[in-house]
Amino acid sequence: MKSMTGFGSGTATKDGITCTVEIKSVNARFLELFIRSPKQMNPFESIIRRMIQDRITRGKVEVSVSIQDAGERPKTFTINSVLRKQIQELLVQEEFYDDPKKVPLQAVNSISNEWIQQQDTPIAEEVLSDIVKEATTQALDALIAMRTAEGQHINQDLLERIGTLEYIITKIDTNKAGAVEAYREHIKTKIQEYLISLEASISEDRFIQEIALLADKTDITEEIVRFTSHVVQLKNTLADTNSIGRKIDFILQEMNREVNTIGSKAMDSIITEFVVQLKCELEKIREQVQNVE
């Protein structure tokens, strides 16, 4: 089990170029991916996107990419001959010199040094690709390690709460027979009082049959069996190493449905109190699961 919350960063350097990738994630229903990077890194965003999609299935993921250039690559020089010539002619016009060819470069530089331009050798595309992949891998490893550690804490909490669910449903199962019998006696007394008030009578067999039908409507055996089955499914799902968040959501919905039915059918104050406890625990589990991948 993994949490959807985490942070990771990675740094890679090659040929004087350093790439840093930072990835943070929070919970979301599906995978939402946002990448911020310098313009020169735009061609590599698809690589980052694929790498993340291969390892993360849910969560809002924000990626920040930065590039630092140490400027240690070989230089290339470009001479603007037109600008140099214009400066030389200007100095002759101003009578500092009598021949443009005799104007020294030092004098040209004193006016402007923009006639010589230098640039670093362009960064090779394969260099950028390599460092982006390496930095992204490091960041993803760190992010997933944090998500896994947080997931283990959530898993432990969920197992404890599932244990509470098992205890409560067992108590409900223990009390169900007494609750049905108590309701049967209650209905029997009420019907008898009603018949007396009407000065009416009913055959003993018919009377017993009607009481049994009414009492059976309060039987919650099927709901208890289904709820217990869902508990087993929930525990098995927690042991799955794949993305399980949405599957757990579905199981919890089914468990809530069974609890609501138990609450509506059981005419017993003790069972009603247990139903309230079940709902509270299921809500706490649901809140925790919102952050599970």
Side-chain angles (χ1 to χ4, degrees):
M1 173 188 289
K2 297 184 184 70
S3 165
M4 283 189 281
T5 301
F7 174 83
S9 65
T11 301
T13 301
K14 185 176 182 180
D15 292 351
I17 305 299
T18 299
C19 176
T20 299
V21 175
E22 294 181 345
I23 307 176
K24 64 178 180 180
S25 65
V26 295
N27 60 311
R29 185 175 178 83
F30 303 102
L31 177 60
E32 301 174 14
L33 183 53
F34 305 91
I35 301 176
R36 290 182 289 106
S37 65
K39 185 177 180 179
Q40 67 191 113
M41 301 303 296
N42 288 350
F44 305 98
E45 287 191 3
S46 59
I47 295 176
I48 298 173
R49 189 174 296 275
R50 284 196 302 270
M51 293 178 68
I52 293 174
Q53 290 171 338
D54 286 342
R55 301 182 64 180
I56 296 177
T57 57
R58 289 183 74 195
K60 179 181 178 181
V61 181
E62 296 182 358
V63 184
S64 176
V65 183
S66 61
I67 292 290
Q68 296 82 41
D69 187 352
E72 297 175 352
R73 298 185 309 284
K75 311 293 183 181
T76 58
F77 295 90
T78 302
I79 296 178
N80 189 333
S81 300
V82 174
L83 178 59
R84 184 195 64 185
K85 185 176 180 181
Q86 288 177 335
I87 295 173
Q88 290 173 325
E89 291 177 347
L90 174 63
L91 293 173
V92 171
Q93 291 174 6
E94 296 296 327
E95 299 182 350
F96 287 100
Y97 300 93
D98 56 8
D99 186 349
K101 295 181 180 180
K102 294 180 180 181
V103 177
L105 296 180
Q106 183 178 1
V108 175
N109 279 335
S110 66
I111 303 299
S112 173
N113 59 4
E114 293 183 0
W115 65 282
I116 297 181
Q117 297 179 351
Q118 68 176 25
Q119 293 179 331
D120 290 329
T121 302
I123 305 171
E125 185 173 313
E126 59 269 20
V127 171
L128 289 176
S129 178
D130 289 344
I131 60 176
V132 164
K133 290 178 181 178
E134 182 179 347
T136 302
T137 298
Q138 292 178 14
L140 275 172
D141 289 343
L143 172 72
I144 292 173
M146 181 177 289
R147 285 163 63 114
T148 300
E150 177 65 20
Q152 291 174 349
H153 291 298
I154 295 175
N155 185 74
Q156 184 59 39
D157 179 74
L158 292 180
L159 288 175
E160 293 176 1
R161 297 193 182 281
I162 290 172
T164 302
L165 294 179
E166 291 176 317
Y167 171 78
I168 297 173
I169 199 66
T170 299
K171 298 296 288 184
I172 291 176
D173 191 40
T174 302
N175 284 274
K176 70 178 183 182
V180 172
E181 182 59 31
Y183 184 70
R184 180 183 288 111
E185 290 300 318
H186 173 73
I187 292 297
K188 181 179 179 180
T189 300
K190 289 295 183 182
I191 292 178
Q192 287 175 333
E193 292 175 351
Y194 184 68
L195 290 174
I196 292 174
S197 68
L198 294 177
E199 297 181 352
S201 63
I202 186 173
S203 68
E204 183 70 18
D205 289 343
R206 177 67 182 277
F207 181 70
I208 293 174
Q209 183 180 15
E210 292 297 329
I211 295 297
L213 289 173
L214 291 172
D216 283 345
K217 292 181 179 180
T218 66
D219 185 34
I220 54 176
T221 300
E222 291 184 10
E223 288 75 19
I224 292 174
V225 170
R226 285 196 292 266
F227 186 90
T228 304
S229 174
H230 293 324
V231 169
V232 174
Q233 291 178 340
L234 185 57
K235 293 171 72 173
N236 291 339
T237 302
L238 292 182
D240 196 337
T241 57
N242 297 315
S243 177
I244 60 175
R246 277 180 281 181
K247 183 176 180 180
I248 294 178
D249 279 337
F250 174 77
I251 295 174
L252 291 177
Q253 289 176 14
E254 295 301 308
M255 295 175 79
N256 267 305
R257 185 176 291 111
E258 301 301 337
V259 171
N260 288 333
T261 303
I262 291 173
S264 63
K265 291 178 67 174
M267 301 297 180
D268 181 81
S269 60
I270 296 177
I271 291 180
T272 299
E273 176 60 29
F274 285 137
V275 165
V276 172
Q277 294 177 22
L278 281 179
K279 288 185 176 182
C280 289
E281 287 300 317
L282 286 172
E283 178 60 23
K284 292 175 183 177
I285 292 174
R286 189 194 66 80
E287 291 175 357
Q288 280 282 40
V289 170
Q290 299 309 304
N291 199 37
V292 173
E293 183 178 15

